[in-house]
């Protein structure tokens, strides 16, 4: 197979698919049109297709000619509540919604890769599960896992690409270990005793306690945890009080813990426990009570050594070792839901190009993809799958 030639022949189709998704963006769990196009395309290839997995998700199974492991390849489908400011012929027609995170490109790349891989199934020792996932921006992956996407056949390894504007087109980042951060949402309610601001001795001010907690918990990152294991404690919402001369009864805090390591209760860092300890200590000191609640938004995306080395070799061959750059971000990515017990790699394909104006940050109203990066993504997908499922 002359892969480059096949991709060139499919270039127009690749770009048309991406532009069509771009023009009709749909928010998480509302990807009905998107989902139908994907399922029809994959059925057209002769694959076994499951529709409506986790509401709008699509899963297609490609059985290789020979027995072997099953590789999961994932693309995300959702757009964002952003009003597009680009002046392009395929500008979003759904006002207030936009593909501003390159998921339109992810879907197009994986569909075209599926087409090429299907044509080459006589060379595959094992299966490929093409997974098109809804609502990445708000933890949609776990619903696909709950609906059994990792079973029948059981998934042995997983890969995914994020097109990434902070990295220039022609460059990539493929690295072992943590690449995207975990996020826990926390909610804290401090209860004191209301009263008159002129007579604080008869009240217990929860606002002062909240202030101590906000400041005190910053020491988790700066003084308690190894600074080489990045941790962010952010308070995004502080709510209390009704009037300037009343000490309120309660104060509510909400925020996020983000970290680039596995921060569970068995870990050395244990960020949740440390935050709760600070809350407990300060509340006891000032005679307030508290309630605290944590919710896991996503785990850290941590890349397996072997899977990453397979993909990295291909990337190095494709763009040159000098164009493989280190990259990590504290931003979250729910691909981690698929990979809790499965070796995987999640990597970044650069698509930033200043001249073309494709270097805006993700989620920006002027975000756009350098479409030259799409072919790189297709080639990476195809070659990674062929290598993992090749004759051993
Ligand atoms: Zn995003
Ligand atoms: Zn994204």
């Amino acid at each position: 197979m002359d892969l480059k030639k096949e991709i060139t022949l499919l270039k127009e189709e690749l770009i048309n698919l991406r532009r069509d998704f771009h023009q009709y963006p749909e928010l998480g769990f509302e990807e009905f049109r998107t989902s139908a196009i994907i399922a029809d395309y994959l059925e057209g290839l002769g694959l076994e297709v499951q529709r409506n997995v986790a509401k709008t998700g699509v899963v297609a199974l490609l059985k290789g000619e020979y027995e072997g492991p099953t590789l999961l390849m994932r693309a995300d489908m959702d757009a964002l509540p952003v009003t597009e400011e680009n002046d392009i012929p395929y500008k979003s027609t759904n006002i207030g919604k936009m593909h501003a995170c390159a998921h339109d490109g992810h879907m197009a790349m994986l569909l075209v890769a599926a087409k090429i891989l299907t044509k080459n199934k006589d060379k595959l020792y094992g299966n490929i599960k093409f997974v098109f996932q809804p609502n990445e921006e708000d933890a949609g992956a776990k619903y696909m896992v709950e609906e059994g996407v990792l079973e029948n056949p059981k998934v042995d390894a997983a890969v995914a690409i994020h097109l990434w504007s902070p990295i220039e087109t022609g460059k990539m980042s493929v690295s072992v270990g943590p690449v995207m951060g975990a996020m826990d949402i926390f909610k804290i309610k401090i209860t004191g005793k209301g009263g008159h601001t002129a007579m604080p001795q008869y009240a217990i001010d929860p606002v002062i306690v909240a202030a101590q907690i906000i400041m005190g918990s910053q020491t988790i990152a700066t003084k308690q945890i190894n600074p080489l294991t990045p941790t962010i404690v952010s308070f995004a919402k502080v709510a209390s009080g009704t009037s300037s001369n009343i000490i309120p009864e309660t104060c509510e805090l909400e925020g996020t813990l983000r970290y680039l390591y596995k921060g569970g209760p068995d870990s050395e860092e244990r960020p949740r426990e440390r935050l709760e300890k600070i809350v407990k200590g300060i509340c006891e000191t000032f005679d307030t009570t508290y309630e605290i609640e944590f919710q896991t938004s996503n785990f850290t995306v941590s890349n397996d050594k072997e899977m990453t080395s397979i993909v990295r070799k291909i990337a190095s061959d494709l763009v040159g070792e000098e164009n493989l750059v280190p990259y990590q971000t504290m931003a979250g990515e729910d691909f981690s839901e698929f990979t809790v017990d499965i070796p995987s790699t999640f990597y970044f394909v650069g698509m930033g190009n200043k001249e073309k104006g494709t270097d805006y940050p993700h989620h920006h109203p002027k975000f756009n993809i350098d479409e030259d990066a799409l072919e790189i993504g297709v080639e990476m997908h195809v070659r990674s799958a062929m290598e993992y499922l090749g004759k051993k």
Side-chain angles (χ1 to χ4, degrees):
M1 165 179 62
D2 183 346
L3 179 58
K4 290 233 190 276
K5 202 172 138 194
E6 276 200 60
I7 296 174
T8 308
L9 288 172
L10 291 166
K11 186 175 181 180
E12 204 181 307
E13 181 171 319
L14 174 65
I15 290 175
N16 287 343
L17 279 164
R18 181 258 154 170
R19 291 187 176 187
D20 180 68
F21 291 134
H22 190 87
Q23 204 166 355
Y24 303 98
E26 295 170 302
L27 298 180
F29 291 133
E30 294 171 10
E31 305 96 333
F32 300 108
R33 178 185 183 275
T34 307
S35 173
I37 290 171
I38 289 169
D40 290 348
Y41 186 99
L42 295 165
E43 258 171 23
L45 302 178
L47 302 179
E48 271 174 42
V49 175
Q50 274 175 275
R51 293 172 188 253
N52 311 322
V53 182
K55 204 167 180 185
T56 45
V58 181
V59 180
L61 183 67
L62 169 61
K63 288 183 176 155
E65 187 78 22
Y66 309 99
E67 292 284 299
T70 297
L71 176 67
L72 182 152
M73 305 186 86
R74 178 274 217 161
D76 35 15
M77 305 160 71
D78 53 324
L80 288 153
V82 171
T83 302
E84 179 158 22
E85 285 178 16
N86 288 314
D87 189 15
I88 44 175
Y90 52 93
K91 183 174 176 169
S92 166
T93 54
N94 298 343
I95 305 303
K97 298 173 191 174
M98 179 188 174
H99 271 295
C101 199
H103 301 180
D104 49 347
H106 299 169
M107 293 183 276
M109 293 188 310
L110 194 58
L111 287 174
V112 170
K115 189 175 225 178
I116 298 172
L117 286 161
T118 305
K119 264 206 243 169
N120 289 282
K121 66 178 176 188
D122 58 327
K123 300 181 191 77
L124 298 179
Y125 290 73
N127 315 306
I128 304 174
K129 225 177 237 191
F130 297 104
V131 171
F132 291 82
Q133 180 214 307
N135 203 26
E136 185 284 321
E137 300 287 355
D138 190 17
K142 70 172 176 208
Y143 302 98
M144 293 201 97
V145 174
E146 278 169 19
E147 292 194 19
V149 74
L150 299 176
E151 306 301 324
N152 299 318
K154 195 179 163 317
V155 170
D156 297 288
V159 290
I161 291 177
H162 212 306
L163 291 164
W164 208 248
S165 70
I167 300 175
E168 280 171 54
T169 307
K171 295 187 176 186
M172 273 189 252
S173 181
V174 191
S175 33
V176 177
V179 292
M180 291 190 85
M183 186 174 108
D184 296 337
I185 298 167
F186 60 79
K187 292 182 183 175
I188 303 166
K189 185 178 176 185
I190 304 153
T191 304
K193 192 175 157 198
H196 198 295
T197 52
M199 289 168 268
Q201 71 274 29
Y202 300 128
I204 300 171
D205 186 348
V207 177
I208 284 287
V209 175
Q212 307 270 352
I213 289 171
I214 293 168
M215 294 309 291
S217 60
Q218 299 311 308
T219 60
I220 294 173
T222 58
K223 298 292 168 193
Q224 298 187 26
I225 290 176
N226 181 348
L228 299 177
T229 50
T231 309
I232 308 174
V233 188
S234 287
F235 289 83
K237 186 176 162 188
V238 181
S240 184
T242 51
S243 178
S244 55
N245 62 354
I246 300 170
I247 292 174
E249 185 92 2
T250 62
C251 183
E252 291 180 24
L253 303 171
E254 286 184 30
T256 54
L257 278 173
R258 291 179 187 266
Y259 43 92
L260 209 50
Y261 46 83
K262 283 188 178 164
D266 308 331
S267 70
E268 210 174 299
E269 296 86 5
R270 305 183 310 280
R272 283 187 185 198
E273 274 176 47
R274 290 180 197 275
L275 177 59
E276 178 153 10
K277 200 172 168 192
I278 287 172
V279 172
K280 187 170 182 254
I282 291 175
C283 285
E284 269 174 17
T285 306
F286 292 96
D287 292 326
T288 55
T289 57
Y290 73 93
E291 289 159 49
I292 188 166
E293 163 190 326
F294 290 100
Q295 193 188 318
T296 303
S297 182
N298 48 258
F299 310 117
T300 310
V301 177
S302 194
N303 286 344
D304 173 70
K305 204 171 156 193
E306 230 166 278
M307 281 307 291
T308 306
S309 111
I310 293 174
V311 172
R312 201 177 190 285
K313 242 180 251 164
I314 297 164
S316 165
D317 182 57
L318 182 57
V319 297
E321 189 64 27
E322 68 282 8
N323 288 314
L324 296 186
V325 294
Y327 190 85
Q328 287 175 305
T329 169
M330 294 295 268
E333 168 52 75
D334 70 356
F335 179 67
S336 54
E337 289 282 343
F338 297 117
T339 64
V340 177
D341 298 313
I342 290 166
S344 64
T345 198
F346 184 90
Y347 60 104
F348 302 96
V349 172
M351 45 137 281
N353 183 324
K354 215 178 168 66
E355 264 130 63
K356 292 184 187 172
T358 64
D359 57 343
Y360 282 93
H362 289 247
H363 298 195
H364 189 281
K366 284 187 187 293
F367 177 87
N368 200 3
I369 296 175
D370 177 0
E371 289 173 330
D372 285 343
L374 299 176
E375 285 167 274
I376 298 174
V378 174
E379 186 165 348
M380 285 302 300
H381 271 325
V382 173
R383 288 177 64 178
S384 307
M386 303 276 292
E387 181 61 33
Y388 180 72
L389 299 173
K391 194 174 179 182
K392 296 291 178 301

